[in-house]
Amino acid sequence: MRRFVKLSTTMILICLILAIPTMSMLTLATPPDIVVHIRSPDSTPDYAPEIILPQNQTEIWLNRTVRISEFLFIRVIDEFNISNTKDRPFTAIVVYYPVKFWEDMISITVLGAYRNDSFRSLEYALYYRSKEYVGVLVKFYTLLDKYSLILQNTFKVRVIFELREGLFEIKPYGTKLGIYLNMTPTPFVPYPIKSLVVSFISPEDTTLEFDYVKPTSGKTLFGGNNFRYSKENLPPMDPSLNLTKQLSRYGFESEVCALWSTTKAIPVVRHANRSVFVTRSYQVYIVDNLVVSCYSLEAPAENPEESKWKLSSIRVGLAANVSQIIEVKDNTRKLSYAKDLDKDLPESIYVLRVDFPTPIVAGESRNIYIKYLIKLDKKFISGDKFNLKLPIAPLLNTSLYTLKLSIKTSAPTIINLPKGYIARYYSSGMENLFISQFKQVVLAFERLNPKDIDYALLTIGYDWKIFLSSYFILLIYVLIASIATVEISCSIHRLARKPVKPKEVKKIADLEKFITNYETIIATDKDLWAAAYENLLLRRPVMTFISDYSKKIIKLGEKIDLMFITMKGLKSIAELYDYLIELEKVEERLSIYKQRLIESAERYTRGELPDAVYTTRVEAILLNLKDDLNRREMLIAKIRDWYLSLTT
């Protein structure tokens, strides 16, 4: 025993000696710094001296593309290819949109490119407003002079709209879900149009009902499930005409009415969390949590199997350069998944299709968790730091009501965000047994459209103090483990070679006999307790049983008295001393309980105790007796375990 005490004391002193410099190092080494910036919008170079509008001197080729995601989110892209047919240069055009279309818009982006330049932001302003139309003035960043076939000096304007959700009418279409849309097919310009092409890209997992599409003249099917209209040599718009006559002037009998049908429910995601963890080994772990539900015309059914429209899978855009998908699960199980494609997302984005073994039905919301890894290697290095572009949220082509972005890092990190947040929270700490320090920032966003879900730039640096503190703490753990291993090995070696003295041999033999005899006593006492419970509590006690029970108790007590004599010799074993003292106390209480039980039974048979008093008293005594019998059995079991560990 003294060897173990000596060993423990030595270990405590070693730990204290090593803990003092450890705590000092942890105090001096601060957690990695994390800084959050909001990226300012790109400035637009303004080379044009003034606003000059074309006067019957331009030719325009106009393409409108209406892209509808599986979440029924609409993005409209109007692209104007503009050329100047005369010597007089100009620097701007005016584009007119119907008032209803303009009011349904939630975001607008205007880009431009001269000749082979890259697209850049353009200045725009409201130029005109009437009951029917809104005029938008788009200003070029350079003069557009007369077109030259050699120079091919055209100017391209791209106007991108995101429309508010809820523009579709959803109702049954036979046994399917019908998705109906009415939309003005084109913008209007007060200039001649050489060519107009209007294309509608259908939502994924739907079927275009082409016969339903109106107007019918000029419509064509392409790509198997999409449709378009093509017009040529259209006159300039007339702002004095109403919308119906204006459409007729452009060759459309009416607004476009389209119908898509589907057998699946429409996915809905309104809340998402993205957690990013940058480790010391420069690996980036990301966990995306989506709250997925579905839109259906049905009321929630008691039996999900009876639901007509269900959601069996969903596509999620994660990030670029994904190295490994670690886990995909919901609240209860792991989910199957596969890499997929989404025509609405950039090709560099890793798109994952998650399959639900139990489809989501009306009225149900399900949490989906996707954990994956991005390994930072040489292609991410710029200067002496890693630069990682990461979307601030999973890419879904729908609006998110709330988003929580959590970035936890073990290396100094600068975060450049594309959008402002509504709340921010910092925290720091240590993990992995004080080996790793981290700092975390949690950012909250609300009302995010797909345009708002842009890339954040994470610039991850290196701090030698943080890494040195980790190696120092790890070295201390190795030293402590090594010293402890040596001490324990030496102690085991000494114990194993210790000769056994004759007195100790006798004590071990006495202990074995003590355990055997006590196991017999325990078995006898259990039988006596069961007999007392049956004959003194469940049945009316009789003197014959009480007398027989008393004799057995006295005989058992004589055996226990002999055990007390053996206990005195065994108390010299330090490891058993506390157990034997507790065993003596238990035996004293058992003797008292047994005596009280016999006295109560005898008084009851003599008529000195009422039935209720007797029953309550005997029941309490038997319960106390049972508790101490169990406690005695537990003590003997501990003594037996020590004996077995000694002799094995």
Side-chain angles (χ1 to χ4, degrees):
M1 181 65 183
R2 282 192 290 271
R3 287 190 182 93
F4 285 109
V5 172
K6 182 179 179 182
L7 175 62
S8 301
T9 305
T10 305
M11 288 299 301
I12 291 171
L13 289 174
I14 292 172
C15 292
L16 286 175
I17 292 171
L18 294 177
I20 293 172
T22 303
M23 293 300 106
S24 302
M25 191 68 187
L26 291 176
T27 303
L28 295 174
T30 58
D33 196 18
I34 184 168
V35 180
V36 179
H37 297 302
I38 299 174
R39 189 165 62 241
S40 58
D42 297 333
S43 59
T44 303
D46 188 7
Y47 302 135
E50 57 182 326
I51 297 172
I52 306 172
L53 296 176
Q55 298 177 357
N56 300 320
Q57 61 182 86
T58 181
E59 290 181 339
I60 293 180
W61 288 259
L62 171 57
N63 289 328
R64 162 168 282 193
T65 303
V66 181
R67 306 190 71 94
I68 307 170
S69 74
E70 65 265 40
F71 296 89
L72 302 189
F73 187 86
I74 303 175
R75 181 181 284 109
V76 179
I77 304 170
D78 292 335
E79 186 163 317
F80 304 83
N81 197 335
I82 307 164
S83 64
N84 187 357
T85 60
K86 295 185 180 180
D87 293 331
R88 178 179 176 269
F90 60 90
T91 62
I93 63 168
V94 179
V95 183
Y96 290 85
Y97 291 93
V99 169
K100 183 178 182 303
F101 180 90
W102 185 263
E103 291 176 346
D104 289 335
M105 175 264 297
I106 56 175
S107 73
I108 178 174
T109 304
V110 182
L111 306 173
Y114 178 67
R115 295 184 60 194
N116 297 321
D117 292 351
S118 299
F119 278 93
R120 63 182 71 173
S121 297
L122 295 183
E123 294 181 0
Y124 67 94
L126 292 184
Y127 181 77
Y128 174 85
R129 177 82 186 222
S130 70
K131 183 179 179 181
E132 294 281 348
Y133 307 105
V134 172
V136 180
L137 174 71
V138 178
K139 184 179 178 182
F140 307 160
Y141 60 81
T142 186
L143 289 166
L144 181 60
D145 47 12
K146 186 176 181 179
Y147 177 76
S148 168
L149 186 61
I150 297 175
L151 296 175
Q152 294 187 354
N153 51 328
T154 61
F155 197 93
K156 299 181 185 68
V157 173
R158 186 177 293 169
V159 185
I160 304 172
F161 292 96
E162 291 182 335
L163 305 186
R164 65 178 179 84
E165 293 171 299
L167 299 181
F168 293 90
E169 182 181 5
I170 302 175
K171 57 186 178 181
Y173 179 72
T175 59
K176 300 180 180 180
L177 203 65
I179 304 170
Y180 297 79
L181 175 66
N182 291 342
M183 177 181 286
T184 304
T186 176
F188 307 105
V189 290
Y191 322 108
I193 296 178
K194 295 288 289 183
S195 171
L196 168 64
V197 178
V198 181
S199 303
F200 282 78
I201 309 299
S202 300
E204 296 186 28
D205 300 327
T206 63
T207 301
L208 173 67
E209 303 296 337
F210 186 67
D211 293 339
Y212 184 89
V213 175
K214 297 177 182 178
T216 57
S217 65
K219 69 177 182 179
T220 57
L221 191 66
F222 75 97
N225 201 41
N226 309 313
F227 70 96
R228 67 161 56 108
Y229 293 90
S230 300
K231 309 286 182 181
E232 292 183 353
N233 299 319
L234 301 179
M237 73 165 292
D238 184 351
S240 65
L241 299 178
N242 60 27
L243 181 58
T244 303
K245 293 181 179 180
Q246 201 74 252
L247 287 172
S248 178
R249 185 178 176 90
Y250 270 51
F252 292 94
E253 296 91 1
S254 65
E255 291 189 323
V256 171
C257 300
L259 166 64
W260 293 270
S261 63
T262 180
T263 58
K264 300 180 180 179
I266 300 167
V268 177
V269 178
R270 290 291 177 257
H271 309 281
N273 297 332
R274 168 160 282 190
S275 300
V276 182
F277 177 37
V278 182
T279 68
R280 287 182 179 274
S281 57
Y282 292 100
Q283 294 185 335
V284 181
Y285 289 90
I286 303 173
V287 179
D288 289 338
N289 169 216
L290 310 173
V291 182
V292 182
S293 57
C294 67
Y295 181 88
S296 175
L297 297 177
E298 297 177 299
E302 293 184 5
N303 183 5
E305 296 298 328
E306 297 176 356
S307 295
K308 185 183 299 183
W309 297 294
K310 307 172 186 177
L311 181 64
S312 57
S313 65
I314 189 172
R315 275 184 293 268
V316 183
L318 303 180
N321 303 300
V322 173
S323 305
Q324 177 188 359
I325 303 296
I326 299 174
E327 185 181 40
V328 180
K329 65 178 182 178
D330 59 14
N331 289 334
T332 58
R333 74 190 98 178
K334 291 186 177 180
L335 304 177
S336 60
Y337 58 89
K339 188 175 182 180
D340 206 342
L341 296 174
D342 192 327
K343 60 188 179 183
D344 295 324
L345 297 179
E347 293 182 359
S348 60
I349 295 296
Y350 192 105
V351 178
L352 199 69
R353 188 191 74 248
V354 180
D355 299 317
F356 306 128
T358 304
I360 298 175
V361 297
E364 178 186 2
S365 293
R366 193 175 298 178
N367 282 285
I368 307 300
Y369 300 90
I370 304 172
K371 184 177 182 180
Y372 51 99
L373 170 66
I374 297 177
K375 294 182 179 178
L376 300 181
D377 51 28
K378 293 181 180 179
K379 64 183 178 183
F380 293 96
I381 296 177
S382 177
D384 58 347
K385 297 181 179 180
F386 289 100
N387 288 286
L388 174 64
K389 291 181 69 176
L390 192 69
I392 63 173
L395 301 176
L396 293 162
N397 283 309
T398 188
S399 296
L400 294 175
Y401 291 167
T402 60
L403 167 68
K404 185 178 78 173
L405 175 61
S406 171
I407 300 177
K408 178 180 175 182
T409 178
S410 297
T413 303
I414 299 174
I415 305 168
N416 283 287
L417 295 173
K419 179 179 174 60
Y421 45 81
I422 61 171
R424 181 179 64 184
Y425 169 74
Y426 283 103
S427 64
S428 59
M430 302 179 185
E431 55 189 5
N432 300 328
L433 297 175
F434 301 103
I435 294 175
S436 177
Q437 290 181 306
F438 69 87
K439 196 163 187 179
Q440 183 177 21
V441 60
V442 179
L443 305 166
F445 301 84
E446 65 177 359
R447 306 299 299 183
L448 293 177
N449 304 316
K451 174 194 171 186
D452 299 323
I453 303 176
D454 203 348
Y455 289 88
L457 178 63
L458 276 63
T459 303
I460 305 166
Y462 177 84
D463 188 344
W464 65 269
K465 291 184 292 184
I466 297 173
F467 286 87
L468 182 62
S469 67
S470 298
Y471 289 125
F472 185 77
I473 296 166
L474 191 60
L475 177 62
I476 289 174
Y477 288 151
V478 172
L479 289 174
I480 292 174
S482 302
I483 295 170
T485 302
V486 172
E487 285 285 342
I488 293 172
S489 299
C490 293
S491 299
I492 292 174
H493 183 69
R494 287 195 297 268
L495 289 172
R497 299 189 60 183
K498 178 184 175 183
V500 181
K501 298 179 181 178
K503 287 185 178 180
E504 293 178 348
V505 173
K506 185 177 182 303
K507 285 182 182 179
I508 292 172
D510 290 343
L511 178 60
E512 182 179 2
K513 188 183 298 183
F514 173 82
I515 294 171
T516 303
N517 292 336
Y518 238 113
E519 288 175 344
T520 304
I521 293 171
I522 289 171
T524 304
D525 239 340
K526 284 184 176 180
D527 293 338
L528 289 175
W529 185 90
Y533 185 86
E534 181 179 359
N535 293 281
L536 298 182
L537 187 61
L538 300 180
R539 299 177 182 176
R540 185 179 182 85
V542 294
M543 286 303 300
T544 305
F545 173 81
I546 296 172
S547 176
D548 183 61
Y549 181 80
S550 300
K551 291 176 183 178
K552 291 180 180 179
I553 292 297
I554 292 171
K555 187 175 180 180
L556 187 64
E558 292 172 355
K559 293 182 180 180
I560 294 172
D561 290 339
L562 293 175
M563 293 295 100
F564 280 176
I565 297 172
T566 307
M567 280 188 207
K568 290 181 181 179
L570 295 176
K571 286 180 181 177
S572 60
I573 302 175
E575 289 82 0
L576 301 181
Y577 182 84
D578 292 337
Y579 297 148
L580 295 173
I581 293 296
E582 180 65 17
L583 187 59
E584 286 180 347
K585 295 178 181 178
V586 170
E587 291 295 352
E588 289 175 1
R589 291 197 299 271
L590 287 173
S591 177
I592 294 171
Y593 291 143
K594 292 172 184 177
Q595 188 62 36
R596 288 180 181 175
L597 185 63
I598 295 170
E599 289 176 0
S600 299
E602 288 176 346
R603 291 183 62 190
Y604 178 75
T605 55
R606 294 196 298 267
E608 297 177 5
L609 290 177
D611 290 347
V613 174
Y614 170 77
T615 302
T616 303
R617 185 175 297 177
V618 169
E619 187 174 5
I621 294 172
L622 286 172
L623 287 175
N624 291 331
L625 188 62
K626 183 66 174 177
D627 290 341
D628 275 335
L629 288 175
N630 292 336
R631 192 172 289 110
R632 178 173 65 183
E633 186 174 0
M634 180 188 68
L635 291 169
I636 295 301
K638 291 181 178 179
I639 294 172
R640 186 195 308 112
D641 292 342
W642 185 86
Y643 167 77
L644 292 174
S645 67
L646 188 67
T647 57
T648 303

